[in-house]
Amino acid sequence: MPWRSGLAFRVVLVSTRNSTCAAFAERLLRPALADTGIEAWAIRVTSAGLEDEQGARFDPDAEFMLRALGGNPGGFRATHLEAEIVDDADVLLTMTRAERDEVVRRFPRARQRTFTLVEYARLNDLVRPMAPLREHPLMLAPARFQAELTPADDIHAPVKADPQEYNLMATEIAEAVYLLAEHWIAMTPTRGPRRDPLGAARLLDAGADAEIVRLSAFGVPVDVQCTGEGGRALRRSLTAAWSRCLRKGDEPDSEPVHIEAIVHDDPTHLRVARARGAIGGETTADLMHALAGAVTVRAIDERAGDVIMLHAAGVSLLDGQVIAFVAPSGTGKTTLSRTLGKHYGYVSDETVVIDFDGTVTPYPKPLSILTAKHHLKKQVGPDEERLLMAPSKLRLGRVVLLNRVNRLDGDPVIEDVPLLAGMTELAAQVSYLPRLAEPLRSVARAIERSGGLQRVTYAEASDLIPLVPQFAGGAE
Amino acid sequence: MHDGDILVTTVDDALIRNDEMLVLVGSEVMLLSVVSTEIARVCAGGLTLGELGDHLFSVFGPPLDGSRVGERTRVLVAELVEAGILRVASAPQDM
């Protein structure tokens, strides 16, 4: 199924001269996305230049290098970066820091959506946001300002007519592009079973080997079809880790979202599977993380506009009041869930879903825990972590903005936050905010009904354990 | 911009609390200052630039930086147009 918004994720690659680096990156990124099964209706990639003459042809040396890599420069004409292009883009990816600064200078409103290509790929790899792609630029914003950019965040600009220089540029662009494609595939919906140009059905007898895990992600039925030689092991791992999200009983009210997941050590099998929209990986661990993202994002996409979805960790008291701790990805929500969930009901480590009447639908998904060994996030089920179950009837008790610091003298500090200022900060953590009816007023009602917004400044998650009941008490 | 140009507020949603306004423009959420809030509020139904200047003077008095009301109003309006909060409709049929 396409994005529920009906809009593609719009990527614009920018360089000083469109006819060189940005065009090169565009003509590499498009086939890289297609190779991973992402189609143009899901992610639209174009390019533009800061100084090009409109309509200029591909730089001959860049074109030669692109062809050598199997790329297709056909039909290219340079586009000058104009306000209309900038306003339409979900993210602008420049080749260098200087170009990024120039884009922001010319178009100040694009500041939060403009990154260097390498910077964006690096941040995606670091933060691994689980949200629709269009929300990623804002979600990556806190991480981007934690360190200054360095020359490593620039794509090498080739000296004209030097093949080695073009080779270096091509290598750097390819690395960034393939890293992005790898992350995006799990975050992109598919249209369902489609083209099978290489006869995948003959290579993989998906029907005989398929094992289906039936999940419910905050009310959205999701069927994960586990295929490939590792399918059975994947099904077992999924069933264990997602134990609190398994769908039981009657057929769902709506058509399930279908995700095909394949574990195989043969790259050809994986490539064929991805071409038909499957999520593939060589190991179960690879797949478990990708699937956590895919299930979350597709469920968010399904419920866009129906409910308020916060990027938040949630725990509940015995009376069913849910405290939603809001924070950007990569800033401690999972650690908090893991710590507090041993004392309070575990609602979610990623997404707190609030209906307009204040009821909360739990999403007790596996926790994504970073392992030092593999630099991957391991998916650990709440049962394995011995997290407490949440009561069956939940309602929003408070929304709390998390402010984790490296060091704090004394106890955590809790403060009331003025509504409007707090919502300015909160907005980036609300999925599909514009799709809500009366977006700002809906969120404000939920917050005011639960006693208003608060912020907690803390250093250690364990310091918040005795404080959780203090947050609650505002729910009607 | 001319004094006869009509200004119209074009936000997707707005929330007012205590003389401050939070607006949603596309997917961007912005907290407006007290003066910008007043501009967005009175331009909701359309107002000329000249009328706006007169209104701001009556509510807030002369600009604190010593500039003329008309000049200051143009600066503020330009910022709000750039942010997508106001639109300039040159004629009534553009509203």
Side-chain angles (χ1 to χ4, degrees):
Chain A
M1 54 207 74
W3 293 111
R4 188 155 174 196
S5 65
L7 297 173
F9 178 57
R10 296 155 296 183
V11 179
V12 177
L13 297 153
V14 180
S15 59
T16 303
R17 289 181 58 224
N18 182 198
S19 51
T20 314
C21 294
F24 194 98
E26 175 200 320
R27 295 301 171 108
L28 272 191
L29 182 53
R30 281 191 195 166
L33 294 176
D35 281 349
T36 51
I38 299 173
E39 295 185 34
W41 57 263
I43 300 180
R44 191 189 75 197
V45 180
T46 56
S47 62
L50 292 165
E51 291 179 7
D52 274 284
E53 186 179 324
Q54 186 78 10
R57 291 178 181 270
F58 223 117
D59 175 271
D61 296 311
E63 180 178 341
F64 175 82
M65 184 57 64
L66 181 68
R67 289 187 190 279
L69 290 175
N72 180 9
F76 173 79
R77 291 291 181 271
T79 300
H80 192 260
L81 188 68
E82 301 288 352
E84 195 179 313
I85 295 173
V86 172
D87 288 344
D88 188 56
D90 291 308
V91 69
L92 297 120
L93 303 178
T94 67
M95 301 301 114
T96 68
R97 293 164 294 162
E99 287 161 350
R100 186 196 71 169
D101 293 346
E102 180 61 18
V103 170
V104 172
R105 188 191 69 78
R106 294 187 193 183
F107 309 100
R109 286 187 61 197
R111 181 172 178 266
Q112 288 187 309
R113 295 177 284 131
T114 307
F115 301 76
T116 74
L117 174 62
V118 174
E119 176 194 17
Y120 200 69
R122 175 171 53 76
L123 289 173
N124 261 276
D125 199 44
L126 176 69
V127 176
R128 298 185 181 235
M130 286 191 187
L133 292 177
R134 300 181 75 200
E135 298 172 13
H136 285 202
L138 272 183
M139 293 179 75
L140 296 176
R144 78 186 296 193
F145 297 117
Q146 285 177 6
E148 289 289 321
L149 295 190
T150 69
D153 290 297
D154 288 347
I155 294 290
H156 182 81
V159 172
K160 204 162 175 58
D162 185 333
Q164 278 189 325
E165 296 278 304
Y166 273 89
N167 230 330
L168 183 53
M169 177 192 79
T171 303
E172 291 177 349
I173 288 175
E175 274 176 13
V177 149
Y178 280 98
L179 188 57
L180 280 175
E182 186 188 312
H183 287 302
W184 287 349
I185 183 176
M187 303 287 157
T188 312
T190 60
R191 288 195 204 273
R194 56 183 194 280
R195 61 192 168 91
D196 184 14
L198 300 180
R202 293 194 295 277
L203 288 175
L204 289 167
D205 188 358
D209 295 332
E211 307 215 19
I212 296 180
V213 179
R214 294 183 168 79
L215 303 175
S216 176
F218 42 95
V220 176
V222 180
D223 286 350
V224 182
Q225 182 185 33
C226 306
T227 63
E229 53 187 28
R232 190 159 293 173
L234 177 63
R235 181 189 62 78
R236 281 198 298 269
S237 295
L238 278 172
T239 302
W242 289 80
S243 58
R244 297 194 190 175
C245 294
L246 293 175
R247 214 161 73 231
K248 305 176 181 65
D250 298 334
E251 284 301 308
D253 293 333
S254 58
E255 185 69 26
V257 171
H258 180 87
I259 299 175
E260 183 188 347
I262 173 169
V263 182
H264 215 291
D265 59 6
D266 183 339
T268 301
H269 278 77
L270 291 180
R271 197 176 314 123
V272 167
R274 284 172 179 151
R276 65 168 184 267
I279 295 176
E282 294 183 17
T283 67
T284 299
D286 290 342
L287 252 303
M288 289 292 286
H289 179 69
L291 284 170
V295 171
T296 302
V297 169
R298 291 176 200 193
I300 288 174
D301 199 53
E302 276 297 296
R303 298 222 63 187
D306 293 342
V307 287
I308 298 168
M309 294 177 280
L310 300 180
H311 298 302
V315 292
S316 73
L317 303 179
L318 286 175
D319 65 0
Q321 287 193 72
V322 174
I323 313 304
F325 294 101
V326 177
S329 295
T331 58
K333 292 199 298 292
T334 296
T335 303
L336 192 68
S337 301
R338 214 175 166 195
T339 303
L340 298 182
K342 292 183 168 64
H343 303 269
Y344 303 97
Y346 171 59
V347 173
S348 185
D349 76 328
E350 186 66 46
T351 309
V352 173
V353 178
I354 308 158
D355 216 322
F356 298 124
D357 64 0
T359 57
V360 171
T361 304
Y363 182 39
K365 59 177 276 297
L367 290 87
S368 301
I369 296 171
L370 195 65
T371 64
K373 187 178 175 189
H374 297 103
H375 302 286
L376 263 186
K377 286 191 175 181
K378 183 184 169 195
Q379 302 300 309
V380 180
D383 287 338
E384 184 182 343
E385 275 293 300
R386 298 181 186 276
L387 302 186
L388 300 185
M389 297 280 288
S392 56
K393 285 186 169 35
L394 300 173
R395 64 194 188 284
L396 183 64
R398 180 83 70 178
V399 177
V400 179
L401 301 173
L402 287 178
N403 178 30
R404 187 162 70 102
V405 296
N406 289 332
R407 183 190 151 87
L408 183 68
D409 293 324
D411 295 331
V413 176
I414 302 172
E415 52 191 335
D416 291 331
V417 179
L419 179 68
L420 298 194
M423 282 184 60
T424 307
E425 196 178 325
L426 181 69
Q429 310 306 328
V430 182
S431 276
Y432 279 117
L433 175 65
R435 293 294 305 281
L436 296 171
E438 302 181 330
L440 298 179
R441 283 170 276 178
S442 299
V443 174
R445 273 194 291 271
I447 290 172
E448 287 177 321
R449 187 191 287 125
S450 58
L453 203 51
Q454 289 185 328
R455 187 194 322 278
V456 63
T457 299
Y458 72 106
E460 297 292 335
S462 54
D463 293 338
L464 297 186
I465 295 171
L467 300 181
V468 171
Q470 286 185 33
F471 292 116
E476 291 174 0
Chain B
M1 274 183 285
H2 306 290
D3 280 355
D5 286 342
I6 298 172
L7 306 170
V8 183
T9 305
T10 58
V11 300
D12 297 307
D13 195 17
L15 186 65
I16 299 177
R17 291 288 186 278
N18 303 325
D19 298 330
E20 280 187 316
M21 184 185 286
L22 190 72
V23 297
L24 177 68
V25 177
S27 57
E28 200 171 346
V29 172
M30 291 171 274
L31 182 61
L32 304 187
S33 66
V34 172
V35 176
S36 294
T37 294
E38 186 63 17
I39 293 174
R41 192 185 66 77
V42 299
C43 290
L47 200 68
T48 67
L49 180 63
E51 288 168 337
L52 177 62
D54 292 342
H55 176 77
L56 292 178
F57 180 75
S58 71
V59 173
F60 299 105
L64 293 175
D65 61 2
S67 59
R68 293 194 337 207
V69 170
E71 285 170 20
R72 188 74 188 126
T73 304
R74 277 186 173 76
V75 168
L76 290 170
V77 166
E79 288 173 1
L80 294 176
V81 168
E82 168 67 27
I85 294 167
L86 282 186
R87 175 172 63 88
V88 179
S90 296
Q93 61 264 27
D94 291 337
M95 289 177 54

